[in-house]
Amino acid sequence: MNLPYQLLTFAVLATCWELYAGVRGGLLLPGFAETVRATAGLLGEAELWRALYVSNQALVLGFALAVVVGVPLGTALGRFRLLERYADVHLNILLVTPMAALIPLLVMSVGVGTVSRVVLVALFSVVMVIVNSRAGVRQVDPALIEMARSFGAGERTVWARILLPAALPAVMTGVRLGLGRAVTGMVLVELLMVSDGIGGLILTYRGLLKAPQLYGTIAVILAEALLLGAAAHWAERRLARWTRPNPSRTRTARSQR
């Protein structure tokens, strides 16, 4: 339903970009059409795909580490107040710390390589996963837990039947937001530390003043981020389908008023 409006907005932005580049552009600002041609040319080059392969290794491993650590830790923090008292200060430090400042520490501790890139990507995304997972458990109505307890439900049953199903939408939201942050960390770590993958390609085109290829590379990164976000949103709808409104029930409720 929103596709026509999105296409209209994209057309307006592309037109403004082309007009501005025609008036004020030059060596460092290509037009929209020129950028599209450069992007199409990049997609046919093996160098781009090699760079994407190298960069996405850190993205996949780092994001998987963030999910494996963040979801259990976030749900545990939301459930056990005592654990949250000890861990909350460390979580707040991660929330306010500029991750780029940790790059020199990573280089000195684990060296320059895949491990440091994976760790930084994980640090970028794990905070979002933890915070949203904790919020999902916290928003569960305590009356539901007390009712389950009154019927003899144990802690495992409370987790399986109440906490995890109720927290799943918030957990998936955290995973989706963390995925966007992971892409940011993937690019940032290569721009500031290891110029081997897609970040190295950006620095190369910038140094050679190849603006169309530079903008095309950034467009490829944006396209990947949008595709990953759409895939995460689709998974969120599939796994938490009970949270979506039922159109037939909505129409019935309106007709009964």
Side-chain angles (χ1 to χ4, degrees):
M1 182 180 297
N2 294 327
L3 183 60
Y5 299 101
Q6 294 172 354
L7 293 177
L8 178 61
T9 303
F10 180 77
V12 171
L13 291 175
T15 303
C16 294
W17 180 356
E18 188 69 32
L19 292 175
Y20 182 80
V23 176
R24 299 293 301 274
L27 182 64
L28 300 180
L29 181 60
F32 177 77
E34 188 179 3
T35 302
V36 171
R37 290 193 297 268
T39 304
L42 285 173
L43 293 176
E45 295 183 2
E47 185 180 14
L48 174 66
W49 296 107
R50 188 203 68 82
L52 286 174
Y53 174 75
V54 172
S55 298
N56 280 279
Q57 286 180 337
L59 175 64
V60 172
L61 295 175
F63 181 66
L65 179 62
V67 172
V68 169
V69 174
V71 173
L73 182 57
T75 52
L77 291 177
R79 176 62 173 158
F80 305 109
R81 297 290 182 176
L82 181 61
L83 178 62
E84 185 184 17
R85 291 179 184 177
Y86 292 103
D88 189 59
V89 60
H90 305 289
L91 184 60
N92 290 331
I93 291 174
L94 282 177
L95 283 170
V96 300
T97 300
M99 295 301 169
L102 299 179
I103 292 180
L105 301 180
L106 289 175
V107 172
M108 290 186 293
S109 58
V110 297
V112 178
T114 303
V115 175
S116 57
R117 288 158 48 200
V118 168
V119 170
L120 188 66
V121 170
L123 288 176
F124 256 88
S125 55
V126 72
V127 179
M128 289 296 173
V129 179
I130 293 175
V131 170
N132 283 273
S133 300
R134 181 180 63 177
V137 174
R138 279 183 174 180
Q139 70 184 8
V140 177
D141 189 354
L144 295 176
I145 300 177
E146 294 299 327
M147 185 182 300
R149 292 291 192 190
S150 65
F151 282 97
E155 185 68 18
R156 180 180 298 180
T157 303
V158 170
W159 275 98
R161 298 295 181 88
I162 299 176
L163 291 178
L164 291 181
L168 184 59
V171 171
M172 292 304 300
T173 300
V175 169
R176 179 162 51 87
L177 295 176
L179 184 57
R181 294 264 299 175
V183 175
T184 303
M186 175 192 73
V187 178
L188 183 62
V189 70
E190 294 190 356
L191 290 176
L192 299 180
M193 185 175 66
V194 184
S195 302
D196 188 23
I198 201 72
L201 209 58
I202 291 175
L203 294 177
T204 299
Y205 289 139
R206 187 192 66 177
L208 298 175
L209 297 180
K210 292 184 177 181
Q213 288 79 5
L214 173 61
Y215 278 73
T217 305
I218 296 174
V220 170
I221 297 173
L222 292 177
E224 180 185 2
L226 290 175
L227 288 175
L228 291 175
H233 191 59
W234 176 84
E236 179 182 351
R237 294 199 311 268
R238 294 287 296 178
L239 293 175
R241 64 181 64 185
W242 63 85
T243 61
R244 289 181 290 172
N246 192 324
S248 60
R249 292 181 180 177
T250 303
R251 288 194 296 267
T252 303
R254 289 178 179 176
S255 62
Q256 293 176 352
R257 291 180 181 177

